[in-house]
Amino acid sequence: MKNIFIINPIAGKKDVTNIVTESLEKYKDKLDYEIYVTKGVGDATNFVRNYCENNNEEIRFYSCGGDGTLNEIINGVINYPNVSVACFPSGSGNDFIKVFGKRDDFLNIDNLINGQVNPVDVIKMNDKYTINICNFGLDAVIGEKMTLFKNKPFVSGKGAYVLSLIYNFFGKMRYECTVKVDGELFHDGPMILCALANGICYGGGYYCAPIAKVDDGLIDICLVKKISRFKFISLIGVYKKGKHLKDKRLKNIIKYIKGKNIEITSNVDLAYTLDGEIGKAKTISVSIVEKAINFVVPSV
């Protein structure tokens, strides 16, 4: 099996190229591996796609970066059943792996090399894919503005999200849209944010979909209706901890459902994010692709 370590040198606060290289020294004569350092946005997708097209043997790609790096690799390996994907979390968020365990478990190269392959679903949005979460509305705008803060000294991924949240709290907090789930009307009118989830959290630890399963063939849809800023402040802590589905105070604020196909339409461009990738569209089509990726869970 080929083992390809894809390193994003600008993910997170520290370039992990030397750490990964040194960890692999003991495998020089025992493991067929190589290291590739990405050169910019989209490079990981192009590299792994070209590699898959030219190699029919079993391949394991190791995503050494954040959720954005993992997402790029996912978009490159989709539709290649001979490929598995592992994650060495060195970015600012690394939220997808929280479905499976602690970050430290994934930071052990030995555990990843000897890990177990688990088929997981992915979300398809228009012509792109995400393994974790697609969101639109305030969440997407927050993600867009996170870049203003994430490269500041001493600001973590969680900190950047919080600072962007505060920054956008005083801006627009109303987004008009229509949401249909499996052909049925789910929402029509104003809302603050909506997360379409395969994983359970995003934004450095906001558990929007605490009951989501990555292999159930369903997308969890969590929508927050238009509320006042005062109510939003009282909601955000509960939402972050993933307790919003059981809080009776939020019964008429949170709308939650599971489905396979979602259509979002708006009269104006809606901001959306796909694990760090940011865009805008008036029409968003989202569907689940079952067991599309062989994801490696580290042995512990």
Side-chain angles (χ1 to χ4, degrees), residues 116 159 176 289:
Q116 178 181 351
E176 297 278 348
V289 186

Side-chain angles (χ1 to χ4, degrees), residues 24-43:
L24 290 170
E25 284 291 329
K26 62 183 176 182
Y27 287 103
K28 271 194 170 180
D29 299 319
K30 302 176 182 178
L31 190 72
D32 186 359
Y33 76 88
E34 63 181 88
I35 295 172
Y36 181 80
V37 180
T38 60
K39 301 173 180 62
V41 177
D43 189 39

Side-chain angles (χ1 to χ4, degrees), residues 184-202:
E184 299 291 330
L185 184 64
F186 175 63
H187 180 79
D188 186 18
M191 60 94 191
I192 288 183
L193 59 87
C194 184
L196 312 177
N198 185 43
I200 58 178
C201 68
Y202 64 112

Side-chain angles (χ1 to χ4, degrees), residues 29-250:
D29 299 319
K30 302 176 182 178
L31 190 72
D32 186 359
Y33 76 88
E34 63 181 88
I35 295 172
Y36 181 80
V37 180
T38 60
K39 301 173 180 62
V41 177
D43 189 39
T45 298
N46 293 332
F47 174 81
V48 300
R49 182 178 291 146
N50 290 333
Y51 199 98
C52 291
E53 288 176 355
N54 293 288
N55 292 274
N56 295 321
E57 63 188 299
E58 189 177 355
I59 309 166
R60 177 168 297 176
F61 290 105
Y62 298 76
S63 174
C64 306
D67 284 320
T69 307
L70 176 61
N71 190 48
E72 284 197 19
I73 292 173
I74 294 303
N75 277 271
V77 306
I78 200 79
N79 298 323
Y80 289 97
N82 59 310
V83 174
S84 59
V85 178
C87 180
F88 183 84
S90 51
S92 57
N94 296 110
D95 288 304
F96 179 71
I97 62 171
K98 292 170 185 173
V99 171
F100 301 99
K102 297 178 181 179
R103 184 171 183 265
D104 287 348
D105 295 337
F106 285 80
L107 285 172
N108 186 306
I109 293 289
D110 299 331
N111 289 350
L112 292 177
I113 290 172
N114 297 300
Q116 178 181 351
V117 172
N118 288 258
V120 300
D121 305 332
V122 297
I123 292 174
K124 183 178 182 182
M125 199 211 81
N126 295 343
D127 60 346
K128 297 182 179 180
Y129 299 88
T130 176
I131 200 171
N132 193 35
I133 289 173
C134 166
N135 51 52
F136 59 97
L138 180 62
D139 272 337
V141 176
I142 290 171
E144 183 180 14
K145 297 298 182 183
M146 272 182 68
T147 55
L148 295 174
F149 307 102
K150 67 187 302 182
N151 294 321
K152 300 291 184 182
F154 309 112
V155 178
S156 65
K158 292 180 181 179
Y161 186 89
V162 171
L163 289 172
S164 184
L165 173 62
I166 295 170
Y167 177 88
N168 286 284
F169 177 76
F170 297 100
K172 181 181 178 181
M173 289 184 62
R174 179 189 177 99
Y175 305 90
E176 297 278 348
C177 66
T178 298
V179 182
K180 290 184 178 180
V181 178
D182 294 333
E184 299 291 330
L185 184 64
F186 175 63
H187 180 79
D188 186 18
M191 60 94 191
I192 288 183
L193 59 87
C194 184
L196 312 177
N198 185 43
I200 58 178
C201 68
Y202 64 112
Y206 281 73
Y207 287 80
C208 62
I211 60 173
K213 305 291 183 183
V214 297
D215 58 359
D216 63 354
L218 296 169
I219 300 169
D220 285 47
I221 302 102
C222 181
L223 184 143
V224 181
K225 295 165 66 175
K226 177 68 179 74
I227 54 177
S228 68
R229 283 178 169 80
F230 176 79
K231 284 188 177 181
F232 182 79
I233 292 173
S234 66
L235 161 67
I236 195 65
V238 177
Y239 181 78
K240 182 180 188 300
K241 295 176 181 178
K243 297 182 178 181
H244 50 290
L245 302 184
K246 296 181 179 180
D247 194 318
K248 294 181 180 179
R249 297 171 301 169
L250 307 179

